[in-house]
Amino acid sequence: MSHADFASLQERFAYLTERDSADHLAVNCPAEHLLEFCTALRDSLGYDLLVDVTAIDWDAETSPRFTGIYHILSTTHHNYIRIASDCTDDAEPSLPSLAGLFPAANWHERETYDMMGIRYEGHPDLKRILMWEDYPYHPLRKEFPLAGIEVPFPAADVAETANAKVLPAPMMGGPFVSSADGTMREIEPQAKDESWTEKEEQS
Amino acid sequence: MKSESTTLGYNSKVEGEVVVTQADAVINWIRKHSVWPMPMGLACCAIELMAVGASRFDISRFGMEVMRFSPRQADCMIVSGTVTYKMAEVVRRIYEQMAEPKWVVAMGACASTGGMYRSYATLQGVDRIVPVDVYMSGCPPRPEALLDAMIKLQDKIGRERSVKNLTAPKAAAAAPAFAGKEA
């Protein structure tokens, strides 16, 4: 679908605004119209396959802070549409659930809830999918450190017998990343800051 | 059987069909040649573990081909892969369900130290929840490396006191000393 089609979409859905995109058509849709718009996409415009549900955390200082992202594919026209929907509440973000429209949304929304803390209103079973249920944080939020935060071990009895805790991982100059080009030795995933190894040797 | 150069440690006329030895030597000999591994396959190391079981590398040459997916029937847990905190509970419970005596092999970088996954979700080494007997490097290790580790484990079993689990249960010593040290 080319940009020419945005005009026809906006004609029918006046609340849409166009969104910058490097590839497919992308639109901003207010959260309160999201269900209505996606239902129309699915039932009358042929967008029948929900491919991805994710979200963006812009920053704690930015408002709106969270934006939900949806990628929907038309298996008959072979093109995608990307829908972005801002969460109105920055402290307790929420969006309407698409699980009733696309069964694929069920686990995607659980993952986004787990990682970003966005509540999907109307979701049949909104619980964590990757982290364990009692985990107190949402790890893909901007303020969450990659190494993690010390919390109790998932199972209390195992924590007691094994004397184990959930501890921040030692970053040691990490995260480990791979350089884009270079010899095989250079593109091997490694910490960018390896000064800690030298400090270790000096002491 | 007997030739000119053979020196026998027993007199067959006196002792008959009897060989005198130590209990540890016999028990450990039996144990080390009938290790029943429990494949705790959590990530890509498990693929190499499967290769070790297949014909090219053939772990049955060392008497370890009886992979059992029930902890009740296994005595060596091969932790092959990344242990997340969510899975750590399961790994520990399965370890506890295995009958004594039991051993643990940490296969590959992730099981040994967390590997390249220095993140909020990954246990930084399975030795934080279970006592590890043999650590292996590699990401993933070659099948030969696993065979080498299992032979090292056999050597270790051969040096053990065979009744030590009766006098000092391993589970009591399971708490790794450094858990919680680096907070």
Side-chain angles (χ1 to χ4, degrees):
Chain A
M1 192 182 271
S2 67
H3 283 250
D5 289 301
F6 176 71
S8 62
L9 274 181
Q10 204 187 26
E11 207 170 283
R12 194 168 154 192
F13 309 101
Y15 44 78
L16 295 182
T17 52
E18 194 166 13
R19 189 178 173 82
D20 286 342
S21 171
D23 41 23
H24 309 288
L25 175 66
V27 297
N28 293 307
C29 176
E32 67 266 27
H33 294 296
L34 185 66
L35 264 181
E36 171 202 334
F37 178 52
C38 289
T39 310
L41 278 181
R42 187 190 68 169
D43 294 343
S44 53
L45 294 166
Y47 285 95
D48 48 0
L49 182 66
L50 180 71
V51 179
D52 197 11
V53 177
T54 182
I56 305 169
D57 177 0
W58 293 104
D59 205 307
E61 277 83 50
T62 314
S63 185
R65 180 176 172 184
F66 294 97
T67 303
I69 303 286
Y70 303 86
H71 291 173
I72 308 180
L73 172 72
S74 165
T75 54
T76 47
H77 300 106
H78 307 295
N79 53 23
Y80 288 90
I81 185 169
R82 182 181 303 116
I83 305 158
S85 193
D86 292 335
C87 300
T88 44
D89 191 338
D90 292 343
E92 290 186 15
S94 73
L95 284 170
S97 171
L98 297 190
L101 282 179
F102 300 100
N106 190 319
W107 282 17
H108 276 305
E109 288 179 351
R110 281 178 61 190
E111 185 191 357
T112 311
Y113 161 68
D114 191 354
M115 295 287 120
M116 291 288 195
I118 295 174
R119 296 202 68 84
Y120 287 89
E121 304 301 334
H123 190 283
D125 185 23
L126 192 67
K127 61 181 185 187
R128 286 181 182 272
I129 193 170
L130 296 173
M131 306 302 282
W132 58 99
E133 282 205 27
D134 299 329
Y135 195 69
Y137 302 102
H138 299 289
L140 289 193
R141 285 191 173 185
K142 277 278 191 288
E143 76 271 11
F144 188 88
L146 175 61
I149 297 172
E150 183 174 335
V151 293
F153 205 71
D157 55 332
V158 170
E160 197 179 324
T161 48
N163 189 19
K165 276 191 246 173
V166 175
L167 296 169
M171 294 311 287
M172 296 178 173
F176 292 166
V177 288
S178 180
S179 305
D181 49 17
T183 62
M184 277 192 78
R185 168 70 186 80
E186 285 157 0
I187 61 173
E188 190 172 278
Q190 57 189 296
K192 288 290 177 208
D193 173 21
E194 296 207 330
S195 54
W196 62 274
T197 43
E198 290 153 26
K199 277 176 204 156
E200 197 78 4
E201 281 162 17
Q202 282 162 14
S203 61
Chain B
M1 190 67 191
K2 192 177 173 185
S3 71
E4 296 284 326
S5 59
T6 313
T7 324
L8 289 176
Y10 69 101
N11 184 330
S12 63
K13 295 232 169 49
V14 177
E15 294 172 7
E17 305 293 317
V18 173
V19 179
V20 178
T21 181
Q22 291 174 306
D24 271 0
V26 174
I27 293 170
N28 286 340
W29 177 74
I30 294 168
R31 279 181 183 167
K32 73 190 236 188
H33 293 292
S34 65
V35 175
W36 287 28
M38 146 86 216
M40 193 76 225
L42 301 173
C44 32
C45 282
I47 305 297
E48 299 299 300
L49 176 62
M50 284 183 250
V52 173
S55 52
R56 180 176 289 267
F57 300 99
D58 195 10
I59 200 173
S60 67
R61 291 178 291 159
F62 308 97
M64 299 173 191
E65 78 279 20
V66 199
M67 295 267 178
R68 284 290 180 249
F69 292 83
S70 160
R72 304 288 186 200
Q73 300 175 352
D75 55 9
C76 172
M77 189 202 273
I78 302 176
V79 183
S80 44
T82 318
V83 187
T84 58
Y85 282 116
K86 198 175 176 183
M87 195 65 188
E89 171 192 351
V90 180
V91 173
R92 173 72 195 191
R93 283 195 205 290
I94 289 177
Y95 172 78
E96 280 169 3
Q97 287 168 9
M98 286 162 58
E100 296 267 5
K102 52 193 171 186
W103 301 276
V104 177
V105 175
M107 178 178 180
C110 291
S112 300
T113 67
M116 64 179 203
Y117 297 101
R118 300 197 183 279
S119 87
Y120 56 89
T122 309
L123 184 72
Q124 300 294 307
V126 74
D127 55 4
R128 295 194 174 193
I129 50 163
V130 293
V132 174
D133 291 285
V134 181
Y135 298 86
M136 298 169 64
S137 61
C139 185
R142 288 278 311 168
E144 293 93 333
L146 179 60
L147 289 177
D148 187 45
M150 295 306 281
I151 293 166
K152 292 265 193 308
L153 180 66
Q154 285 186 325
D155 293 346
K156 188 170 180 177
I157 296 170
R159 292 194 304 271
E160 278 179 353
R161 282 190 48 235
S162 59
V163 294
K164 72 168 188 188
N165 55 306
L166 299 178
T167 49
K170 234 179 178 181
F178 65 86
K181 199 176 82 179
E182 44 194 15

